[in-house]
Amino acid sequence: MADNPAHPYNPCKSLCTGIISQRPNDHWLIRCDVGQVVTIDVIPDDMLLTIFDFYVVGYYQDIEFIEAVFGNQDKIQSWQTLVHVCGRWRDLVFGSPRRLNLQLFCKVGTSARETLDVWPALPLHIQGGVSETSLDNVIAELAEHSDRICKINLDFYTTSQIEKLWTAMQVPFPELTILSLSLGRRLSCDPILPDSFLGGSAPRLRYFALTSIPFPGLPKLLSSATHLGYLTLLNIPHSGYFSPETMATCLSALTSLEELYLQFDSPQSSPDQENRGPPLLTRSVLPALTNFTFKGVYEYLEELVARIDTPRLYQSWTTFFHDIDFDTPELIQFITRTFGAPNDVHVVFDSRIACITPQRQASRSTDVRVEILCRVPDWQLSSLAQICTLSLPLLSTTESLFIYEPVQSQLDWKDGIENTEWLDLLFPFTAVKNFYLSKQFAPRITPALQELTGGRTIEVLPTLQNLFLEGFQPSEPVHEGIAQFISARQLINRPVATSVWERDSTQETFIGGP
């Protein structure tokens, strides 16, 4: 497009709202500090580039990293608007490709040839679902432009697709910063990534995600990915298992790692306890890690967290496959040294999962969450009771305890759970002053409290002062079991007041896995 000051489109107005205004036949800049009006042509190049930064790159700073990584085509190629304004702007944009993060978007299933022929040799962003008809084009792009590709985000569905893609991706990708590969459905056999994937090296990789894909060569690749900030390994098949020792060694080299998602597909992926090594004297420090999500067996996490320290961690979500016995002293120590003692504890039961979430009063977010995948109610209860008992030093200062189900839950517990199981769950909470019970669980727990008479009256919840009941009406008498419990506490001069609990959004814990 030739330079044309009368062109009806004025990108300056969208670039600097409130600073730049449009006149009929020219582009004008209002300098608000001194009130002068000058033409935009007098703005120096460095100032124009700063304005372009806000227009082209700015949205990366305003939204979540993952959304920015996999943005839509219009956002990724927003710079194209600028190069059509005038020759000077075109030269400035193409003269600063790294600063403005210039990329060409190649959507799987559409021909990229015409697009690539029009523009300079800019970095490529390849994204989409791979079908049988688009596979050859994707492979051709990977093979022909491996030195230009900066982002790859592909979903695929058949073994033949994967094997051909693996072959095309055994060469180096020196500009690659973002890589996400996902297997859309489970296959009869797991297609394993070869050790030669990406030529065994990814020096500029910033984000790496695999879903349902085994990759035994992961340690070798990670050893070269020294700038990696986000590592996501989801639904790891057992064929792609790697030991907690190996993972800890890999993580120790990733000093820029901010987020780690490590989720195994089945409880088969468990470390060999018989060959377990001696306790470690020192732990590897992950100085930048702020978010850690794990799904697997508790034995794996125990060995992993025993080997790492995370001084900046602010969120840790753990999901365990169900086990008869939980023994998690290393996890409790990890939570204690990282987050400290909680003020509140939420215990939540749902139809297929149960969780405990310790929360600090200063933080209304879920900093820590431990979930158990299980559908049997008494197993859910016994599992959480075991974890709470192991957490006794951590929970001994908790002042508020919540037990409930999610509002939209289809929870349907049958009778048959023994009172002693509820008492086992409550026993570690020796400093609780405020106890919150939902309508679903109040009639289940109060019979257990009713059994505490005589010398056992303060055996559990000895410091309890307030009992908050969902749906309780002050004008109506409380449940008989609750009344007897309150009377027993009154007799020993440990009165408990009963109040209404009206749940709100701050008392809802998300459940069901991150």
Side-chain angles (χ1 to χ4, degrees):
M1 178 185 298
D3 296 3
N4 182 6
H7 191 274
Y9 174 69
N10 183 3
C12 304
K13 186 174 182 181
S14 64
L15 295 179
C16 299
T17 303
I19 297 178
I20 297 176
S21 63
Q22 186 177 12
R23 294 297 181 92
N25 294 313
D26 210 341
H27 294 220
W28 295 81
L29 173 67
I30 298 178
R31 299 190 59 171
C32 301
D33 53 347
V34 295
Q36 294 178 329
V37 179
V38 296
T39 63
I40 200 170
D41 292 337
V42 304
I43 299 178
D45 290 353
D46 58 345
M47 186 178 294
L48 266 181
L49 282 173
T50 300
I51 296 173
F52 294 168
D53 280 340
F54 284 100
Y55 184 66
V56 178
V57 185
Y59 81 92
Y60 280 92
Q61 303 167 353
D62 297 331
I63 59 178
E64 292 292 331
F65 175 81
I66 303 305
E67 184 181 347
V69 167
F70 305 125
N72 61 43
Q73 184 171 356
D74 291 339
K75 287 182 177 180
I76 292 170
Q77 297 189 152
S78 59
W79 56 269
Q80 293 184 11
T81 300
L82 302 177
V83 302
H84 284 95
V85 173
C86 62
R88 180 191 174 201
W89 286 29
R90 184 162 50 250
D91 292 341
L92 274 176
V93 170
F94 287 146
S96 306
R98 286 198 180 276
R99 173 171 176 170
L100 299 178
N101 195 25
L102 303 188
Q103 300 170 27
L104 292 174
F105 187 93
C106 299
K107 184 177 180 181
V108 172
T110 60
S111 176
R113 175 61 56 189
E114 294 181 1
T115 300
L116 298 182
D117 289 342
V118 170
W119 299 107
L122 297 172
L124 304 181
H125 179 149
I126 299 178
Q127 180 170 317
V130 181
S131 64
E132 293 293 345
T133 56
S134 65
L135 177 61
D136 290 340
N137 286 337
V138 173
I139 291 175
E141 290 175 7
L142 292 173
E144 185 177 349
H145 303 291
S146 60
D147 59 334
R148 291 174 52 188
I149 295 176
C150 66
K151 296 182 182 180
I152 300 175
N153 177 23
L154 297 176
D155 301 311
F156 33 83
Y157 308 94
T158 68
T159 303
S160 61
Q161 290 178 347
I162 299 169
E163 291 174 346
K164 292 179 181 179
L165 281 170
W166 286 183
T167 301
M169 298 186 70
Q170 293 185 43
V171 299
F173 287 74
E175 297 298 315
L176 191 63
T177 59
I178 309 295
L179 175 60
S180 176
L181 301 175
S182 175
L183 179 58
R185 64 172 67 98
R186 294 306 307 270
L187 304 177
S188 56
C189 61
D190 297 320
I192 297 177
L193 271 177
D195 289 352
S196 55
F197 180 64
L198 302 184
S201 176
R204 299 196 63 211
L205 199 61
R206 177 73 176 139
Y207 175 95
F208 183 38
L210 294 178
T211 300
S212 302
I213 300 172
F215 183 25
L218 179 70
K220 177 183 176 182
L221 184 68
L222 292 183
S223 66
S224 69
T226 55
H227 297 291
L228 194 68
Y230 302 81
L231 177 60
T232 300
L233 305 173
L234 304 181
N235 300 335
I236 305 169
H238 185 57
S239 56
Y241 175 81
F242 38 80
S243 70
E245 297 91 339
T246 299
M247 175 52 63
T249 301
C250 291
L251 295 177
S252 65
L254 303 178
T255 57
S256 299
L257 190 67
E258 299 177 30
E259 296 190 8
L260 172 62
Y261 298 83
L262 183 63
Q263 300 183 3
F264 291 94
D265 187 54
S266 78
Q268 282 184 287
S269 298
S270 178
D272 184 357
Q273 296 299 300
E274 293 183 0
N275 296 325
R276 188 175 183 179
L280 298 178
L281 299 179
T282 60
R283 293 184 289 264
S284 300
V285 177
L286 308 182
L289 193 68
T290 59
N291 194 317
F292 176 33
T293 297
F294 174 84
K295 176 185 174 183
V297 296
Y298 79 85
E299 295 94 340
Y300 192 102
L301 187 61
E302 278 288 288
E303 294 197 24
L304 179 59
V305 297
R307 290 171 163 79
I308 60 174
D309 263 336
T310 55
R312 294 188 59 197
L313 194 68
Y314 73 81
Q315 191 169 78
S316 174
W317 288 358
T318 299
T319 302
F320 289 134
F321 293 110
H322 179 256
D323 205 320
I324 296 177
D325 295 309
F326 284 93
D327 187 15
T328 58
E330 294 291 349
L331 174 61
I332 303 308
Q333 289 186 36
F334 175 75
I335 293 174
T336 302
R337 67 175 181 263
T338 305
F339 298 96
N343 299 99
D344 303 343
V345 169
H346 293 241
V347 177
V348 190
F349 296 95
D350 206 350
S351 57
R352 65 182 184 87
I353 203 167
C355 77
I356 176 171
T357 61
Q359 292 184 351
R360 294 170 294 182
Q361 214 163 45
S363 173
R364 301 313 301 172
S365 62
T366 304
D367 301 325
V368 182
R369 183 173 75 205
V370 179
E371 295 182 346
I372 309 296
L373 289 174
C374 179
R375 296 179 180 273
V376 183
D378 55 345
W379 290 0
Q380 289 185 355
L381 181 56
S382 63
S383 297
L384 290 188
Q386 290 180 55
I387 292 175
C388 287
T389 300
L390 288 165
S391 308
L392 183 58
L394 177 65
L395 303 179
S396 60
T397 59
T398 299
E399 295 190 351
S400 295
L401 173 62
F402 300 76
I403 298 181
Y404 57 92
E405 76 289 345
V407 171
Q408 302 300 325
S409 174
Q410 300 298 317
L411 195 65
D412 183 23
W413 280 26
K414 306 298 182 182
D415 294 332
I417 295 179
E418 297 181 2
N419 290 337
T420 55
E421 295 186 64
W422 286 114
L423 297 179
D424 288 342
L425 175 67
L426 299 176
F427 179 77
F429 297 96
T430 55
V432 162
K433 298 178 181 178
N434 306 304
F435 189 19
Y436 298 80
L437 284 172
S438 70
K439 286 190 292 186
Q440 175 79 260
F441 286 99
R444 300 180 182 280
I445 295 177
T446 51
L449 297 175
Q450 185 181 350
E451 290 187 357
L452 301 176
T453 58
R456 300 187 61 204
T457 304
I458 56 172
E459 190 173 288
V460 300
L461 305 179
T463 62
L464 184 64
Q465 298 176 6
N466 301 293
L467 181 60
F468 296 88
L469 302 173
E470 184 184 25
F472 169 64
Q473 298 297 327
S475 59
E476 299 177 0
V478 297
H479 185 274
E480 180 181 352
I482 296 175
Q484 293 185 22
F485 168 71
I486 292 175
S487 297
R489 285 295 178 99
Q490 188 74 39
L491 289 174
I492 61 171
N493 200 28
R494 296 288 183 92
V496 176
T498 306
S499 304
V500 180
W501 177 31
E502 295 182 0
R503 276 201 269 175
D504 56 38
S505 59
T506 64
Q507 293 157 334
E508 277 301 316
T509 297
F510 173 76
I511 191 167

